[in-house]
Amino acid sequence: MIVKRAGRLVVLAAVPAAVCLTLGLSGPALAEGGKAYQIDLAQLNASGSSGTVMLSLKGNQLTVQIESEGMVPGQPSAQHLHGSTKGHDFKCPDATDDTDGDGVLSNTEATHDYGDINISLTTGGDTKATSGLAVDRMPVADKQGKISYKRTIAVGQDVVDHIKDLHVVQHGIDRNKNKKYDFEGAGKSELDPKLPQEATAPTNCGEVKGAAVGSVPVGAIETGGGSAQQASAPVTVRDGAAIAVLAVVAAAVAVTRKRPVAVPVRRGNTGGGV
């Protein structure tokens, strides 16, 4: 078992549903051999948004549960699993990726780091990458700016094999603080001029960290190059290991276990829509 804070990964094997409940996520009971990955969402674009994600795999059934806050009240949030299922390693962006210096990290600028859409986390209908801007099928934040999402979808073997190379991004910011998406805040979206930039800019991101051991380092659009960073590789819980209660939004994590585990190091680089 491995636990890592601040927008990073908690990997659990055959985790009891009670543990998931401590995260504010009503996690499904996992069959033997099932796996769950906790991801903490950290803000982008100074949005103030944060959240917790649980990815649970049973065979080819992927359950995605998201609890986030600091979203734009009453507005839909496009959300996706970004990354690669071809062994390439991406990461969450930061303010330095605002290459045009306009003060807004656009989706196009961020894609260099977090990669293209693999799965669109819609509330209904298909979950293809082509549904990335299907805002009519994306969750809507409540009056307090909170989103609660849960959906189980069938995924391909490539996703099962590379789930640890994927990560979650939610979109939608309120740059001019008027509690809605409009063109006054940041102009038009570079993805669709009919949409405001506020609607498509990323608001948070969370990596399945330390999981892509042996992944191929990449630069922009999977071409190679980029700087290396270190993270702990995931280790599954051994039989008899004790699991401590996980706090909501991973403010603090306490873990006890009977047996020590070796934690290898993996490399992570950049690469490369909503």
Side-chain angles (χ1 to χ4, degrees):
M1 177 177 189
I2 181 168
V3 178
K4 192 170 178 66
R5 299 184 185 180
R8 301 309 184 230
L9 166 74
V10 173
V11 181
L12 311 174
V15 182
V19 175
C20 297
L21 289 172
T22 67
L23 301 171
L25 302 173
S26 54
L30 297 179
E32 184 176 355
K35 294 182 179 180
Y37 304 86
Q38 180 193 330
I39 303 171
D40 296 335
L41 298 173
Q43 70 171 348
L44 295 173
N45 279 311
S47 65
S49 173
S50 61
T52 302
V53 181
M54 182 68 78
L55 304 179
S56 304
L57 265 176
K58 292 174 65 178
N60 74 331
Q61 296 296 306
L62 174 65
T63 298
V64 182
Q65 297 171 262
I66 302 174
E67 298 289 341
S68 58
E69 58 185 10
M71 312 300 288
V72 184
Q75 299 296 303
S77 173
Q79 54 182 25
H80 320 94
L81 278 167
H82 286 258
S84 172
T85 57
K86 297 180 180 179
H88 297 284
D89 188 17
F90 294 97
K91 67 181 182 67
C92 287
D94 57 35
T96 63
D97 292 296
D98 177 21
T99 54
D100 63 8
D102 66 351
V104 176
L105 177 65
S106 70
N107 183 72
T108 297
E109 291 169 327
T111 295
H112 174 87
D113 274 352
Y114 57 51
D116 294 322
I117 297 171
N118 187 279
I119 296 174
S120 296
L121 299 175
T122 55
T123 57
D126 74 77
T127 58
K128 298 176 181 178
T130 51
S131 289
L133 287 176
V135 292
D136 58 323
R137 293 188 288 117
M138 293 293 179
V140 177
D142 66 15
K143 293 180 180 180
Q144 287 72 47
K146 297 181 179 180
I147 285 179
S148 182
Y149 172 87
K150 179 180 179 180
R151 186 174 183 187
T152 299
I153 55 180
V155 297
Q157 189 60 41
D158 61 333
V159 172
V160 173
D161 292 342
H162 293 277
I163 188 67
K164 294 175 290 186
D165 294 331
L166 303 178
H167 42 277
V168 174
V169 180
Q170 290 184 306
H171 300 259
I173 63 174
D174 182 16
R175 192 185 187 197
N176 54 351
K177 306 302 180 183
N178 62 354
K179 297 185 178 181
K180 64 180 181 179
Y181 302 147
D182 60 23
F183 293 96
E184 300 299 323
K188 300 177 181 179
S189 171
E190 81 282 10
L191 300 178
D192 184 347
K194 295 179 182 179
L195 295 174
Q197 179 78 283
E198 290 186 335
T200 61
T203 188
N204 59 43
C205 179
E207 302 174 30
V208 178
K209 197 69 176 178
V213 177
S215 290
V216 180
V218 294
I221 318 300
E222 306 187 359
T223 57
S227 60
Q229 64 183 45
Q230 292 186 339
S232 301
V235 186
T236 56
V237 169
R238 298 189 180 190
D239 293 340
I243 302 175
V245 174
L246 305 179
V248 177
V249 195
V253 181
V255 178
T256 62
R257 56 178 174 257
K258 292 183 178 179
R259 304 179 187 177
V261 292
V263 182
V265 176
R266 70 103 165 144
R267 299 179 182 273
N269 288 44
T270 60
V274 158

